[in-house]
Amino acid sequence: QSVLTQPPSASGTPGQRVTISCSGSSSNIGSNNVYWYQQLPGTAPKLLMYRNNQRPSGVPDRFSGSKSGTSASLAISGLRSEDEADYYCAAWDDSLSGRVFGGGTKLTVL
Amino acid sequence: EVQLVESGGGLVQPGGSLKLSCAASGFTFSDSAMHWVRQASGKGLEWVGRIRSKANTYATSYAASVKGRFTISRDDSKNTAYLQMNSLKTEDTAVYYCTSMYAGSPFFDYWGQGTLVTVSS
């Protein structure tokens, strides 16, 4: 059971907009930044979003992040086949004094 | 080119020990915090622990599942971080990733390719 809650799966067709949610609590998302990672099959995770809504260099602006209260979300617009991957949210948890991850969301591009 | 290369993984019996290394290059290693994250086959990501930079007194934190058994250290002169794993259990079997995070500007969070640790008799 992960501290951060994500839907196990999401899907969309090419060109669509998809949103992945991440729900936490006051000790993690509610008081700290949220990070998002993309893990393509057989590869290491890659940072997709930091400090809630900041994109690292090289990440397309089709990806956007937001946070409100104890929840965060990752939106992918103009869905492409290469976006098919697992997506994880993460945040520091003050109560646990450690980093926590969501269980991951498998995105399928139909 | 930024690189994080883990090594030291392998097969170990329950109760045994293993030490992983993470060699960094291409960025200012000494300024960054080093984290270890693991992923069991077909499962999600699990944070193992971290060691902060010298400026942050090399402070360490660990997940409850490994506290007291795992120790993270670093040698800034060698641009290398370590994960010493003792009293290993079968549930520690996973791919172990090292990651380097710098919260300043520009922010970065680099990941290695991972090394497989299998705990089995």
Side-chain angles (χ1 to χ4, degrees):
Chain A
Q1 193 81 348
S2 301
V3 174
L4 303 181
T5 301
Q6 296 180 236
S9 63
S11 63
T13 56
Q16 270 192 328
R17 183 177 189 271
V18 170
T19 300
I20 297 172
S21 62
C22 176
S23 178
S25 68
S26 58
S27 64
N28 41 65
I29 293 178
S31 51
N32 294 292
N33 290 317
V34 177
Y35 301 78
W36 288 92
Y37 297 89
Q38 178 193 58
Q39 186 175 32
L40 297 170
T43 69
K46 167 193 153 186
L47 181 68
L48 203 59
M49 201 72 56
Y50 67 98
R51 291 177 187 153
N52 310 317
N53 56 15
Q54 302 299 301
R55 280 187 311 275
S57 173
V59 173
D61 59 7
R62 301 186 296 106
F63 294 88
S64 62
S66 64
K67 185 182 102 167
S68 178
T70 59
S71 293
S73 62
L74 174 73
I76 309 172
S77 60
L79 200 61
R80 304 173 70 160
S81 58
E82 55 260 40
D83 297 332
E84 193 160 282
D86 293 325
Y87 292 84
Y88 295 90
C89 59
W92 187 261
D93 190 295
D94 294 331
S95 296
L96 298 174
S97 294
R99 205 167 198 222
V100 291
F101 284 93
T105 298
K106 184 176 185 62
L107 175 64
T108 301
V109 181
L110 302 169
Chain B
E1 180 195 6
V2 171
Q3 276 198 312
L4 284 174
V5 180
E6 301 96 336
S7 60
L11 175 64
V12 61
Q13 291 189 335
S17 298
L18 207 59
K19 186 172 185 177
L20 306 183
S21 298
C22 172
S25 60
F27 64 96
T28 308
F29 175 84
S30 59
D31 287 345
S32 66
M34 296 300 298
H35 295 246
W36 288 91
V37 176
R38 67 186 181 184
Q39 185 172 36
S41 181
K43 303 295 185 183
L45 302 175
E46 180 188 13
W47 181 79
V48 172
R50 72 142 189 223
I51 183 167
R52 301 185 74 179
S53 64
K54 181 179 180 180
N56 291 290
T57 68
Y58 296 129
T60 55
S61 300
Y62 299 93
S65 59
V66 306
K67 197 167 188 177
R69 300 188 298 123
F70 289 12
T71 302
I72 298 174
S73 60
R74 64 191 294 164
D75 184 338
D76 289 347
S77 68
K78 296 182 178 179
N79 284 358
T80 301
Y82 305 96
L83 177 63
Q84 175 68 48
M85 303 183 291
N86 299 330
S87 303
L88 282 161
K89 306 174 181 180
T90 55
E91 52 264 42
D92 294 319
T93 294
V95 173
Y96 284 72
Y97 297 100
C98 68
T99 93
S100 182
M101 183 182 286
Y102 177 63
S105 182
F107 178 91
F108 64 75
D109 182 6
Y110 304 131
W111 289 60
Q113 84 288 349
T115 187
L116 176 62
V117 172
T118 303
V119 185
S120 174
S121 54

